[in-house]
Amino acid sequence: MHGLMMDTPLLVSSILQHAERNFPEQEIVSVTADNPLHRYTFADCARRSRKLADALQQLGAEAGDRIATLAWNDYRHLEAYYAIGGAGFVCHTINPRLFPEQLVFIINHAEDQWLLTDPLFLPLLEKIAPQIEGVKGFIVLTDEAHMPKSSLPNAICYESLLEKGSAEYAWPELDERTAVGLCYTSGTTGDPKGVLYNHRSQVLHAYAGVAPDALNIGNRDTVLPVVPLFHVNAWGTPYSCLMVGAKLVFPGPKMGDGETLCNLIETEKVTAALGVPTVWLALLQYCEKSGKRLDNLQRTAIGGAAVPVSMIREFHQKHGVWVSQGWGMTEMSPLGTVGVPKVGMEGLPDEEMYKIRAKAGRAIFGVEMRIVDDNGKELPWDGVAFGALQVRGPWICSDYYKLDGSADTHTADGWFDTGDVAIIDSDGFMSITDRTKDVIKSGGEWISSIEIENVAVGHPDVAEAAVIGVHHPKWSERPLLIIVKAEGKEPTRQDLFDWLDGKIAKWWMPDDVVFVDEIPHTATGKIKKIALREQFADYSLPEGSS
Ligand code: AMP
């Protein structure tokens, strides 16, 4: 028997309508390329999003058309999210840090019809324009006064385009399974793969994100998403913050600038900030140098890469800020787990608490997870067994855009194989130990490169650490620790061994330490292990190691 409930579709436009009706005066503050501090309200955002949707339709955009954005976090990019998705087009967010060849590939693969761009990226687009001829026009996110000269024949000024749109535009009542967004995973191997989100998945994901034991966002919060709108929906914040009426603060092109972040947190009274570990490193370094404290900030959600205990400790001890670690993926919208302690853990000593928060966290409702061995057999949640991490749920991709099942990432029983290797403890806290392809197998046993990296980076003289497996005649592979020294510091090989001693299993001790000027990163800031493995392909471990 079916229940007797209304079947109103879950649409992102309904979030914007709710925000406008219930929190019209709530603020959105942005740093943009043409304004150091722009400020307006949810009502303004809703009105301008309708105008943009209408203007795009006047340009000839049709349902299902992919319309791309190449932009930092600010109010215009947020308008693009709502206008494009809400109108039934697909908002294809592009990471400007990709190599030009990758940009060309994904723009053509997505068959983008229009592209909204920050003025800053015009030189980049001018260079690749002959290779992306399918794009009908480039909408430059600025006003006439700041419109740069461009050799692109079809550059349109955003504010002038908006003028032409009607604020009376009515959002269409779409099927909730209609595609709303597209984001390519930058992947360390092969061509980038497109993840195609739908309205239903994004609304459910936003509901899950605001919960107290997830990102914990409410009307009284001021949220600073330092995680980019161009990567995995900025962890759902464009939707979740408007859903609950939280004030939004966008850092624009100043995302990696510790001073700007610190000032925004102070002046805008930011209570919750979200981002990858690298951006917090910049903020913490700035605070250390300037002697500033993050007094308003209550919590940070950090994910996208493992969060070292040293960072969790510093946030808490110096700023009174608790870190909640999150794990997720482009394929998962991205939220999968969040590391909020369970009831009964409140009284634990701080150092114990830091260890719990250094885990990737527990699955939020909507995400089922399991770890399996090489034969696909499920492994226990005992804090010991390592296995391939698989997930399923309504905001996890069922396939990649235009790949028709050829990606080989889904199991026969409908789970998505994340490519991560994890341990899950008896409380349900998951820890990522590696990517499947990065696992170090020594004498048949797995060594967690991520755990060694986390401990190594806690050394005060270390700026960054990476661990890869290198060939060993007896053990087949042994860990090699690769270190970037902190500015002005000179740690030795022995210093690193001494530091690791007692903090990791004895047999995990790297066989050697090498110092490099730089560790290569992917466009989303993750360590590019594949490049490191190539760089050290002929490396021979010192005589007598292991
Ligand atoms: P992306 O799709 O670019 O967001 O990357 C997703 C990948 O980032 C995951 O599959 C993990 O390998 C990694 N990742 C994300 N969050 C964490 C975390 N908290 N700890 C360790 N790795 C993480």
Side-chain angles (χ1 to χ4, degrees), residues 18-27 41-43 219 241-246:
H18 174 79
E20 186 180 23
R21 167 62 60 95
N22 292 282
F23 319 104
E25 301 302 331
Q26 185 56 287
E27 277 187 315
T41 65
F42 280 13
N219 183 211
C241 290
L242 272 79
M243 186 180 260
V244 297

Side-chain angles (χ1 to χ4, degrees), residues 109-128:
H109 190 268
E111 298 171 76
D112 292 328
Q113 301 281 306
W114 300 90
L115 195 153
L116 280 67
T117 178
D118 269 348
L120 281 135
F121 303 123
L122 279 177
L124 176 65
L125 290 169
E126 283 162 3
K127 255 188 237 146
I128 63 170

Side-chain angles (χ1 to χ4, degrees), residues 33-44:
D34 55 24
N35 187 339
L37 208 60
H38 176 275
R39 198 177 283 279
Y40 78 168
T41 65
F42 280 13
D44 297 323

